[in-house]
Amino acid sequence: QVQLVESGGGLVQAGGSLRLSCAASGRIFSLVPMGWYRQPPGKQRELVASITSRGRTDYADSVLGRFTISRDNAKNTVYLQMNSLKPEDTAVYYCQYYTRSETYDYWGQGTQVTVSS
């Protein structure tokens, strides 16, 4: 059974940093790509960053140079280091077993990130 548990969100001032974590289970973690998504208030969910099983990363233009995705296969955990945060980064952040089709049956509870100006 797939389970994704996000943590690490909170309230931070603009320019600050947060590190999100996601504990994953239900699949062979080391073999699958992972992604971080976010859903700002009143908007659709969007892909923020992804990482392949071998560690190749990709980022949305809006976070390139500020966010870093990483993974620890020994801990079945994926991380999102967020620096130089902006108010427009305010959203609920979710991790996911990433697929190109971006069709998912399950989402975790997410973690709220709020950036004040």
Side-chain angles (χ1 to χ4, degrees):
Q1 182 178 355
V2 170
Q3 188 170 17
L4 300 163
V5 180
E6 302 91 346
S7 62
L11 174 63
V12 64
Q13 289 188 335
S17 298
L18 283 174
R19 188 194 194 202
L20 307 184
S21 299
C22 170
S25 61
R27 295 191 183 171
I28 304 176
F29 181 84
S30 62
L31 299 181
V32 298
M34 296 296 296
W36 279 99
Y37 287 79
R38 68 184 180 186
Q39 186 166 19
K43 297 184 179 180
Q44 291 192 341
R45 196 149 26 195
E46 61 181 0
L47 179 64
V48 173
S50 63
I51 184 168
T52 69
S53 59
R54 295 189 177 187
R56 179 177 177 178
T57 58
D58 195 18
Y59 298 93
D61 289 344
S62 58
V63 306
L64 189 62
R66 300 188 298 121
F67 290 11
T68 302
I69 187 172
S70 61
R71 63 191 297 160
D72 185 336
N73 290 338
K75 295 182 178 180
N76 285 8
T77 301
V78 61
Y79 304 97
L80 187 68
Q81 177 67 44
M82 305 186 296
N83 299 328
S84 302
L85 283 161
K86 304 175 181 180
E88 51 264 43
D89 295 319
T90 294
V92 180
Y93 284 72
Y94 303 86
C95 67
Q96 190 55 268
Y97 289 107
Y98 175 72
T99 66
R100 288 187 177 182
S101 68
E102 299 193 84
T103 303
Y104 306 111
D105 296 327
Y106 166 85
W107 291 91
Q109 85 287 349
T111 187
Q112 175 70 50
V113 172
T114 303
V115 185
S116 63
S117 57

